[in-house]
Amino acid sequence: MQLALNAWRRNRVCYMPCQSDFGLVYTIYLLAVARMFGYPTYLHHHNFGYINDRRRLMDAALVAGGPEVAHIFLCDYMLRRFGETYKSPKRSLVISNAAFVPPQPSQAVPPESGALRIGLLSNLNREKGLYLFFDLLRAAHDQGLNLQGRLAGPVRDPDDRRALEAAQNELGDRLLYAGPLYGQKKTQFYESIDVFVFPTLYRNEAQPTVVYEALAAGNLIVAHERGCIASQVQSDGLVIPGDQPFVLNALSWLRHLKAKGNTDSRISIALRSSETYTRERAKARNALSS
């Protein structure tokens, strides 16, 4: 309706996020209406589901929008994979989510107990790697590696809540849960850890903002390779392919990090990680304003 009502206006633009699954039906409808009224149209992709597996509805969306639609992708890899799954768009932009993550001062806080502090902030469930996080802490304890795990975020599923409570009882002070955090408390969470561990199994994962938030705070990253995550992390951590064991690889890398760790190296790591985020944010903001 709004597209029709504003069709007569000057400088009109139609911007829409691309839906996934059956939400693509709505995207197809909007693209067709925007094309009918001659809108310059931008379609923003935030989902790898229809890129990993070709969808007929996406084929229909490309036809509905026509070749003049400008497609916005989160990273170069996303653009390339989209072109391999469908065809390379005639018009495309790459604007990462770093553009929308505000800067924050990086304040590396040396650990008091000597433990290497790892953290996960997310919707805490199996898809986002909650159970792999527990397994990593258990394996570290069994092998004598001093890790402390810190969790933040909502736990909505009763089974996940019970798993968290069981893990807290088992691991004691090696696992701390802060609950959902926002604003300054979320920033303080990132500042209180050394490594952000993100063992996501979510098949539609694209470019999680929590990874940029962690980098901005000076954290190293250990994550599963999904979507654009490898291009986010770059050399500031470890990206583990989905077909390799997460816990085994993460544990080996964390052991090496712990062996060489000291306050000076912690500060240099924080500076390097935040510089990666700053560079990516500047690139994204420039693309956004062009």
Side-chain angles (χ1 to χ4, degrees):
M1 178 63 74
Q2 289 299 316
L3 289 173
L5 290 175
N6 292 299
W8 59 273
R9 292 180 181 272
R10 284 183 159 185
N11 301 321
R12 59 208 174 95
V13 171
C14 176
Y15 164 87
M16 68 182 81
C18 189
Q19 303 296 321
S20 61
D21 300 323
F22 287 107
L24 275 167
V25 173
Y26 184 56
T27 298
I28 291 168
Y29 165 73
L30 292 178
L31 285 169
V33 173
R35 186 179 185 183
M36 181 174 63
F37 286 105
Y39 276 85
T41 302
Y42 294 82
L43 187 64
H44 205 155
H45 299 276
H46 292 276
N47 189 303
F48 259 81
Y50 52 77
I51 295 177
N52 292 328
D53 301 303
R54 186 164 187 155
R55 308 281 172 83
R56 290 183 179 180
L57 284 174
M58 178 52 71
D59 284 320
L62 294 175
V63 172
E68 296 306 315
V69 171
H71 294 257
I72 303 174
F73 298 96
L74 300 175
C75 65
D76 291 328
Y77 174 71
M78 190 182 204
L79 169 57
R80 178 169 63 83
R81 286 287 292 115
F82 186 89
E84 292 169 352
T85 305
Y86 302 97
K87 62 180 180 179
S88 297
K90 179 180 176 181
R91 302 175 62 212
S92 63
L93 297 166
V94 173
I95 302 176
S96 82
N97 283 333
F100 311 107
V101 174
Q104 53 185 292
S106 174
Q107 299 180 10
V109 181
E112 298 176 0
S113 64
L116 187 65
R117 303 160 305 181
I118 65 172
L120 169 61
L121 185 153
S122 182
N123 291 316
L124 298 176
N125 55 45
R126 186 178 296 277
E127 278 194 320
K128 290 294 184 176
L130 177 63
Y131 293 77
L132 283 172
F133 192 87
F134 296 153
D135 290 343
L136 179 57
L137 289 174
R138 293 184 181 109
H141 177 64
D142 291 343
Q143 296 187 26
L145 180 60
N146 192 4
L147 292 187
Q148 184 188 72
R150 302 186 178 191
L151 291 169
V155 184
R156 296 188 171 90
D157 186 87
D159 289 340
D160 296 331
R161 170 65 68 176
R162 285 189 287 271
L164 172 58
E165 292 171 352
Q168 287 178 297
N169 291 333
E170 175 189 353
L171 296 166
D173 60 6
R174 295 192 302 277
L175 176 62
L176 306 177
Y177 173 54
L181 298 177
Y182 306 96
Q184 185 60 29
K185 288 186 177 180
K186 184 167 72 168
T187 301
Q188 290 170 353
F189 173 84
Y190 290 118
E191 292 173 349
S192 74
I193 62 175
D194 304 296
V195 181
F196 185 74
V197 175
F198 193 60
T200 178
L201 300 170
Y202 181 45
R203 65 187 306 274
N204 295 337
E205 198 76 72
Q207 194 183 61
T209 56
V210 290
V211 171
Y212 279 130
E213 290 171 351
L215 286 169
N219 299 147
L220 289 174
I221 312 294
V222 175
H224 254 147
E225 185 178 16
R226 296 273 178 172
C228 296
I229 288 177
S231 65
Q232 290 181 274
V233 176
Q234 299 181 32
S235 62
D236 296 306
L238 175 69
V239 177
I240 301 169
D243 60 352
Q244 295 185 16
F246 184 88
V247 171
L248 182 64
N249 284 277
L251 199 59
S252 175
W253 187 87
L254 290 167
R255 184 182 298 280
H256 178 70
L257 180 67
K258 182 73 167 64
K260 68 176 185 179
N262 56 53
T263 301
D264 290 338
S265 65
R266 175 70 184 95
I267 292 172
S268 66
I269 285 169
L271 290 172
R272 190 182 71 188
S273 298
S274 60
E275 284 170 0
T276 296
Y277 150 77
T278 301
R279 185 170 59 249
E280 290 300 305
R281 175 177 164 80
K283 179 181 176 182
R285 298 294 290 185
N286 288 336
L288 194 62
S289 60
S290 63

